């Protein structure tokens, strides 16, 4: 009898052990499937039964109407722009070709009473044919080759532009909303509809369709026009919301609530609580200790037990790896410091050798050449020295000490008898070494250019925050010697212009030159400021 009493308990224990071996994902999937299957079947049946036929019919009619509207608009626009392109090509050959202009006027004459306009102008902006309108030049100059460019003007209409061969003559046409509405009106479509022309994220509403209620559903169809990435989107109201549709809409919410509650219960008991328990046990460990295997075996989820075993294995190897990484980091730090120290010494040796050779120069031109070379070596040495000094803090190079030291070196290597003056107005900015090197060379080149034009040049160097730009600064070098002159143009054409342009490309910003003020300015990227 005792054996018969123990058998049900043994069977229950075996079943519990079998279920406990299942992956947590399988348990969660089985529970959610059983709980949510009736709700899902009801929701799908109600939705399909009430909306399938009406939505299919509305979509079929919408596609036909959208295709008809897009075809009508495309035929008209392509025809008008083809005629405009032919006139543009003719005027590109002979800008006095009056018959071609007359033909273009004839093409647009029928629609001109409704506000359609066209204009043809040359590269200088002189109107050759037609009537100018707002935005014509902006849309036309974007055209290239056989491409037609487009620009939507919300609430007004559509502008299209073309360009002639070699972009000598440009043409643009404007089609108001009223003309587009007449062209796009489908012939046998009686349902109220909304029609809009799309260009990327922009849209031009041709025929609006106000919403009657917040719960209104709509069916839409989009068709490409084949012109400058334009497309039309047509919408119609779908079947109104009925009781069946309300039920179909509410059932997913009920399904979500049921799924949320069941999921929380399952996940909380099978995953969250065991994970919290495992986290507490691991957090209580000190470096070098391992989790208790008995605690890990008591967890209900097989995956979490495996995670605990994996952590035990990792904890045994982390200590060994940490010791190796610490030793490697010490060696790498020493090696980096040694490399920077040797580079700094090598730059100093090169500067000293140049100085020795400069003292033995026999002509003033040779002395000036040596001084010019030494200034560029000093610029690189200044950047490297400051980079080595800031390496421990890892916040970037301070441009103010770099430019200040660079100005001091330039004054020291100025030609004998020169009364070079450099005034500094620098804010504290930090930059990367990739920015600091071209900045140092750029300052050296511009100062060298000013000295070449006037040995007595007075130079001002400023570094200020860029207006309305975060993490950017404006570097400006100005001097009366940099005011536009024949001497300045010759030196820019010979050498300095190419160097300054190359450095600005390396800084990935355009160089701004003010000929009246005699200043060069460029925007540079920064890492922050004090």
């Amino acid at each position: 009898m005792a054996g018969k009493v123990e058998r049900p308990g043994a069977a229950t224990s075996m079943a519990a052990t079998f279920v406990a071996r299942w992956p947590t994902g399988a348990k969660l999937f089985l529970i959610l499937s059983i709980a949510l299957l009736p709700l899902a079947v009801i929701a799908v049946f109600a939705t399909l039964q009430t909306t399938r036929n009406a939505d299919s019919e509305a979509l079929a009619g919408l596609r036909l109407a959208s295709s008809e509207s897009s075809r009508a608009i495309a035929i008209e626009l392509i025809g008008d722009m083809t005629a405009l392109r032919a006139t543009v090509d003719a005027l590109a050959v002979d800008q006095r070709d009056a018959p071609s202009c007359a033909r273009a006027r004839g093409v647009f004459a029928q629609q001109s009473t409704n506000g359609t306009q066209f204009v043809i102008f040359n590269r200088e902006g002189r109107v050759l044919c037609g009537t100018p309108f707002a935005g014509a030049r902006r849309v036309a100059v974007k055209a290239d080759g056989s491409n037609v460019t487009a620009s939507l003007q919300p609430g007004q209409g559509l502008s299209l532009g073309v360009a002639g061969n070699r972009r000598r003559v440009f043409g643009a046409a404007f089609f108001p909303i009223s003309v587009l509405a007449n062209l796009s009106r489908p012939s046998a479509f009686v349902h109220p509809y909304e029609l809009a022309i799309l260009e990327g994220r922009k849209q031009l509403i041709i025929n609006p369709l106000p919403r009657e209620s917040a719960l209104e559903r709509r069916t839409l169809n989009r068709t490409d026009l084949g012109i400058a990435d334009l497309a039309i989107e047509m919408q119609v109201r779908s079947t109104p919301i009925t009781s069946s549709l309300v039920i179909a809409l509410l059932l997913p919410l009920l399904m979500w609530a049921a799924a949320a509650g069941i999921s929380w219960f399952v996940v909380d008991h099978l995953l969250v609580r065991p994970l919290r328990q495992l986290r507490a046990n691991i957090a209580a460990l000190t470096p070098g200790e391992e989790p208790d295997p008995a605690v890990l075996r008591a967890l209900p989820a097989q995956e979490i037990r495996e995670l605990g075993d994996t952590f035990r294995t990792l904890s045994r190897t982390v200590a060994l790896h940490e010791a190796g990484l610490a030793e490697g980091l010490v060696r790498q730090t020493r090696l980096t410091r040694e490399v920077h120290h040797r580079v700094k010494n090598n730059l100093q040796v090169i500067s000293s050798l140049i100085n020795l050779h400069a003292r033995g120069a026999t002509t003033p031109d040779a002395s000036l050449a040596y001084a010019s070379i030494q200034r560029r070596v000093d610029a690189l040495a200044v950047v490297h020295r400051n980079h080595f000094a800031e390496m421990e803090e890892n916040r970037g190079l301070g441009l103010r000490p770099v430019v200040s030291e660079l100005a001091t070196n330039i004054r020291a290597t100025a030609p004998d008898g020169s009364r070079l003056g450099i005034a500094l107005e620098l804010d504290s900015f930090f930059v990367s070494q990739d920015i600091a090197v071209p900045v140092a060379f750029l300052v050296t080149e511009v100062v060298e250019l000013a000295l070449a034009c006037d040995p007595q040049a007075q130079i001002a160097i400023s570094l200020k925050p860029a207006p309305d730009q975060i993490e950017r600064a404006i570097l400006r070098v100005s001097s009366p010697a940099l005011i536009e002159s024949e001497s300045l143009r010759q030196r820019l054409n010979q050498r300095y212009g190419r160097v300054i342009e190359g450095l600005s490309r390396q800084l990935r910003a355009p160089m701004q030159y003010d000929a009246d003020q005699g200043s060069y300015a460029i925007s540079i990227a920064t890492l922050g400021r004090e």
Side-chain angles (χ1 to χ4, degrees), residues 61-119:
L62 179 63
R63 287 175 177 173
L64 291 176
S66 177
S67 176
E68 181 183 353
S69 297
S70 63
R71 185 167 56 252
I73 293 176
I75 290 174
E76 182 65 26
L77 296 183
I78 291 175
D80 290 348
M81 296 311 293
T82 301
L84 183 62
R85 181 183 296 280
T87 305
V88 168
D89 291 339
L91 292 178
V93 177
D94 181 6
Q95 297 187 6
R96 300 179 180 178
D97 189 352
S100 296
C101 181
R103 285 193 294 271
R105 292 181 185 275
V107 171
F108 287 90
Q110 183 177 0
Q111 299 177 4
S112 60
T113 57
N114 296 326
T116 301
Q117 295 176 289
F118 82 97
V119 64

Side-chain angles (χ1 to χ4, degrees), residues 104-179:
R105 292 181 185 275
V107 171
F108 287 90
Q110 183 177 0
Q111 299 177 4
S112 60
T113 57
N114 296 326
T116 301
Q117 295 176 289
F118 82 97
V119 64
I120 300 175
F121 54 89
N122 58 16
R123 187 181 299 172
E124 291 75 22
R126 185 170 64 87
V127 175
L128 304 179
C129 185
T131 304
F133 58 88
R137 184 175 180 84
R138 183 172 60 254
V139 71
V141 296
K142 295 180 181 179
D144 188 13
S146 60
N147 296 328
V148 176
T149 57
S151 176
L152 297 182
Q153 301 180 19
Q156 299 181 19
L158 168 66
S159 295
L160 299 177
V162 294
N165 295 331
R166 300 184 181 179
R167 295 176 58 82
R168 294 177 178 174
V169 178
F170 302 87
F174 173 73
F175 301 90
I177 290 180
S178 59
V179 172

Side-chain angles (χ1 to χ4, degrees), residues 39 44 85 108 118 128 139 146 214 250 272 414 451 480 487 504 506:
L39 296 176
V44 172
R85 181 183 296 280
F108 287 90
F118 82 97
L128 304 179
V139 71
S146 60
L250 292 179
V272 177
L451 283 174
S487 175
S504 66
Q506 190 172 355

Side-chain angles (χ1 to χ4, degrees), residues 146-341:
S146 60
N147 296 328
V148 176
T149 57
S151 176
L152 297 182
Q153 301 180 19
Q156 299 181 19
L158 168 66
S159 295
L160 299 177
V162 294
N165 295 331
R166 300 184 181 179
R167 295 176 58 82
R168 294 177 178 174
V169 178
F170 302 87
F174 173 73
F175 301 90
I177 290 180
S178 59
V179 172
L180 297 174
N182 291 332
L183 291 174
S184 62
R185 186 174 293 111
S187 59
F189 195 67
V190 297
H191 299 286
Y193 66 91
E194 178 176 300
L195 182 68
I197 297 181
L198 306 180
E199 182 192 11
R201 296 184 178 181
K202 298 180 180 179
Q203 68 171 0
L204 174 66
I205 298 178
I206 305 300
N207 188 60
L209 181 63
R211 288 189 173 272
E212 296 180 345
S213 66
L215 300 178
E216 178 181 285
R217 298 189 308 120
R218 292 191 176 189
T219 302
L220 61 88
N221 184 71
R222 179 171 178 171
T223 306
D224 292 334
L225 288 178
I227 303 175
D229 297 331
L230 294 177
I232 67 167
E233 183 179 86
M234 181 176 285
Q235 301 182 18
V236 295
R237 295 188 180 96
S238 300
T239 306
I241 296 178
T242 60
S243 58
S244 299
L245 188 57
V246 172
I247 293 174
L249 292 174
L250 292 179
L251 277 177
L253 298 178
L254 298 176
M255 293 170 61
W256 170 81
I262 297 172
S263 299
W264 174 84
F265 178 81
V266 173
V267 173
D268 182 70
H269 284 73
L270 294 182
L271 293 177
V272 177
R273 290 185 182 180
L275 282 174
R276 289 176 180 172
Q277 182 181 356
L278 178 61
R279 179 180 177 275
N281 293 333
I282 293 175
L285 297 177
T286 58
E289 293 185 354
E290 297 181 9
D292 186 1
V295 175
L296 299 179
R297 286 194 295 269
L299 297 174
Q302 178 65 25
E303 291 80 358
I304 300 179
R305 290 195 294 269
E306 294 175 353
L307 178 62
D309 293 336
T310 302
F311 183 81
R312 290 185 59 212
T313 303
L314 290 176
S315 61
R316 288 194 294 266
T317 58
V318 165
L320 298 176
H321 288 305
E322 285 183 348
L325 289 174
E327 183 179 355
L329 180 59
V330 172
R331 289 197 303 268
Q332 184 65 30
T333 303
R334 291 176 179 174
L335 178 61
T336 303
R337 289 177 177 174
E338 180 66 20
V339 169
H340 279 280
H341 181 70

